[in-house]
Amino acid sequence: MRRTLLLLGMALAVGGQAPNADRRSGFDFMAPETQALQRDDAANPGMLWVMQGEALWRQPEGAAGRSCADCHGDAAAGMRGVAARYPAFDAASGRPIDLQGRINQCRMARQGAVPFDHESEELLALTTYVAHQSRGMPVEPVDDERLRPFVEDGRRLFERRIGQLDLSCAACHDERWGQRLGGSAITQAHPTGYPIYRLEWQSVGSLQRRMRNCMIGVRAEPYAWGAPEFTALELYLRSRAAGLPIETPGVRP
């Protein structure tokens, strides 16, 4: 732990350039071997979740005995561009909802099925499959006025210092991007590859999982799974990443 704190202190010793001056995907900071894994669908381990998600897309479930395909048709056409505009405003709740939340909402309303648990294999697979249909498409700007207050909430959370180490997301991802922490590159925190395969996890994980890891790393109490704070943060990150291409499933160390 003392070594981790020393490395963190070294990484934060020198300020960096704000990301808006040179926006780059986390992919650009990866080693060539990791980039090669992401580029090659036959080698990218995240594609296993895409394949599992495709099977779930066609599987009838719930009291209605319907599949996702029964309502939405071919995912390659019907889901193209969806991941580029989430989180999106949900009229029923009056709040933004992320892609995982929309999938669960749809399962309950149209299929009469119980929602998948957060970070469950099934929810990750379906979300990865749906997001994969938007690969290569640019993240859309947040132009819905109803979302503006939530984008601002996300910005405040991103810049707020938390935990025993008294650090904010911005302290690393805005001020020190491009430097290294414990051997890993500090990126600009653009959420273009999620759900993402991380070698340290040996599995696909959501953006919420990654944010929880960061909060635990600075010795802060993470928000509960599905908390509105996570959705606000994700929405703010989407606003910062507008124009960058979707990469799902990304691969990171």
Side-chain angles (χ1 to χ4, degrees), residues 88-91 94-96 143-151 235:
F89 188 78
D90 176 49
R95 301 187 57 84
D143 54 9
D144 187 335
E145 288 301 321
R146 298 171 296 180
L147 290 173
R148 293 297 176 189
F150 300 100
V151 173
L235 181 64

Side-chain angles (χ1 to χ4, degrees), residues 36-58:
L37 269 182
Q38 180 173 313
R39 285 195 183 102
D40 185 355
D41 283 353
N44 183 336
M47 292 303 295
L48 295 173
W49 278 259
V50 172
M51 290 168 25
Q52 182 182 355
E54 182 177 12
L56 289 169
W57 181 262
R58 304 180 186 282

Side-chain angles (χ1 to χ4, degrees), residues 69-89:
D70 288 335
C71 292
H72 298 287
D74 180 26
M79 295 294 106
R80 181 76 173 153
V82 167
R85 55 180 181 267
Y86 269 80
F89 188 78

Side-chain angles (χ1 to χ4, degrees), residues 16 67 69 83 87 94 166 182 195 242:
S67 69
D166 192 34

